[in-house]
Coordinates of all heavy atoms in Angstrom, one line a residue:
F34 N 13.8 19.5 -0.9 CA 15.0 18.7 -1.3 C 15.8 19.4 -2.4 O 17.1 19.5 -2.3 CB 14.6 17.3 -1.7 CG 15.6 16.5 -2.3 CD1 16.7 16.0 -1.5 CD2 15.6 16.2 -3.6 CE1 17.7 15.3 -2.1 CE2 16.6 15.4 -4.2 CZ 17.7 14.9 -3.4
L35 N 15.2 19.8 -3.4 CA 15.9 20.4 -4.6 C 16.6 21.7 -4.2 O 17.5 22.1 -4.9 CB 15.0 20.6 -5.7 CG 14.5 19.3 -6.4 CD1 13.4 19.6 -7.4 CD2 15.6 18.6 -7.1
S71 N 23.6 7.3 -3.1 CA 23.9 6.9 -4.5 C 23.8 8.1 -5.4 O 23.2 9.1 -5.0 CB 22.9 5.8 -5.0 OG 23.3 5.2 -6.2
D72 N 24.5 8.0 -6.6 CA 24.4 9.1 -7.5 C 24.4 8.7 -8.9 O 24.3 7.5 -9.2 CB 25.6 10.1 -7.2 CG 26.9 9.5 -7.5 OD1 27.0 8.3 -7.8 OD2 28.0 10.2 -7.3
D73 N 24.5 9.6 -9.8 CA 24.4 9.4 -11.3 C 23.2 8.7 -11.7 O 23.2 7.8 -12.6 CB 25.7 8.5 -11.7 CG 26.0 8.7 -13.2 OD1 25.6 9.7 -13.8 OD2 26.6 7.7 -13.7
A74 N 22.0 9.1 -11.2 CA 20.7 8.5 -11.6 C 20.1 9.5 -12.5 O 19.7 10.6 -12.1 CB 19.9 8.3 -10.4
T75 N 19.8 9.1 -13.7 CA 19.1 10.0 -14.7 C 17.8 9.3 -15.0 O 16.7 9.7 -14.4 CB 19.9 10.2 -16.0 OG1 20.3 8.9 -16.5 CG2 21.2 11.0 -15.7
C77 N 17.4 6.1 -14.2 CA 17.4 5.2 -13.0 C 16.6 5.9 -11.9 O 16.4 7.1 -11.9 CB 18.7 4.8 -12.6 SG 19.6 3.7 -13.7
I79 N 16.8 6.1 -7.4 CA 17.4 5.7 -6.2 C 16.2 5.7 -5.2 O 15.4 6.6 -5.1 CB 18.4 6.8 -5.7 CG1 19.5 6.9 -6.8 CG2 19.0 6.4 -4.4 CD1 20.3 8.2 -6.6
H94 N 19.7 1.3 -6.1 CA 19.8 2.1 -7.3 C 19.3 1.2 -8.4 O 20.0 0.2 -8.8 CB 21.3 2.5 -7.5 CG 21.5 3.4 -8.7 ND1 22.3 4.5 -8.6 CD2 21.0 3.4 -9.9 CE1 22.3 5.2 -9.8 NE2 21.5 4.5 -10.6
V126 N 14.2 9.2 -5.8 CA 14.8 10.3 -6.6 C 15.3 9.7 -7.9 O 15.9 8.6 -7.9 CB 15.9 10.9 -5.8 CG1 16.6 12.0 -6.7 CG2 15.4 11.6 -4.6
G127 N 15.1 10.4 -9.0 CA 15.6 10.0 -10.3 C 14.5 10.1 -11.4 O 13.6 10.9 -11.3
M129 N 14.1 10.9 -14.7 CA 13.9 12.1 -15.4 C 13.0 11.8 -16.6 O 12.8 10.7 -17.1 CB 15.2 12.7 -15.9 CG 15.9 11.8 -16.9 SD 17.4 12.6 -17.6 CE 16.7 13.7 -18.7
N165 N 11.5 16.2 -11.4 CA 13.0 16.1 -11.4 C 13.6 16.4 -12.8 O 14.6 15.9 -13.2 CB 13.4 14.7 -11.0 CG 14.9 14.7 -10.7 OD1 15.6 15.7 -10.3 ND2 15.5 13.5 -10.9
Q172 N 17.4 18.6 -18.5 CA 18.3 17.8 -17.7 C 17.7 17.5 -16.3 O 16.8 18.2 -15.8 CB 19.6 18.6 -17.5 CG 20.4 18.8 -18.8 CD 20.8 17.5 -19.4 OE1 21.4 16.6 -18.8 NE2 20.4 17.3 -20.7
P173 N 18.1 16.4 -15.6 CA 17.6 16.2 -14.3 C 18.0 17.2 -13.3 O 19.1 17.7 -13.3 CB 18.2 14.8 -14.0 CG 19.5 14.7 -14.8 CD 19.1 15.4 -16.1
L174 N 17.1 17.6 -12.4 CA 17.4 18.6 -11.4 C 18.2 18.0 -10.3 O 19.0 18.6 -9.6 CB 16.1 19.1 -10.8 CG 15.2 19.9 -11.8 CD1 13.9 20.2 -11.2 CD2 15.9 21.2 -12.3
A175 N 18.1 16.7 -10.0 CA 18.9 15.9 -9.0 C 19.2 14.6 -9.6 O 18.4 13.8 -10.1 CB 18.1 15.8 -7.7
R176 N 20.5 14.3 -9.5 CA 21.0 13.0 -10.0 C 21.4 12.1 -8.8 O 21.8 10.9 -9.0 CB 22.3 13.2 -10.9 CG 22.0 13.9 -12.1 CD 23.4 14.2 -12.8 NE 23.2 14.9 -14.1 CZ 23.3 14.4 -15.3 NH1 23.5 13.1 -15.4 NH2 23.1 15.1 -16.4
S177 N 21.3 12.6 -7.6 CA 21.9 11.9 -6.4 C 20.9 12.0 -5.2 O 20.1 12.9 -5.2 CB 23.2 12.4 -6.1 OG 23.2 13.8 -5.7
F178 N 21.2 11.1 -4.3 CA 20.4 11.2 -3.0 C 21.2 10.5 -1.9 O 21.8 9.5 -2.1 CB 19.0 10.4 -3.2 CG 18.2 10.5 -2.0 CD1 17.6 11.7 -1.6 CD2 17.9 9.4 -1.2 CE1 16.8 11.8 -0.5 CE2 17.1 9.5 -0.1 CZ 16.5 10.7 0.3
H189 N 21.6 16.2 -1.5 CA 22.2 15.9 -2.8 C 23.7 15.5 -2.5 O 24.3 16.1 -1.6 CB 22.3 17.1 -3.7 CG 21.0 17.7 -4.0 ND1 20.3 17.4 -5.2 CD2 20.3 18.7 -3.4 CE1 19.2 18.2 -5.2 NE2 19.2 19.0 -4.1
V190 N 24.2 14.5 -3.1 CA 25.5 14.1 -2.7 C 26.3 13.5 -3.9 O 25.7 13.0 -4.9 CB 25.5 13.0 -1.6 CG1 24.9 11.7 -2.1 CG2 26.9 12.8 -1.0

Side-chain angles (χ1 to χ4, degrees):
F34 168 68
L35 291 171
S71 190
D72 64 358
D73 201 25
T75 52
C77 291
I79 302 164
H94 184 137
V126 174
M129 64 176 285
N165 191 31
Q172 296 298 307
L174 298 172
R176 296 171 181 259
S177 63
F178 183 67
H189 302 267
V190 69

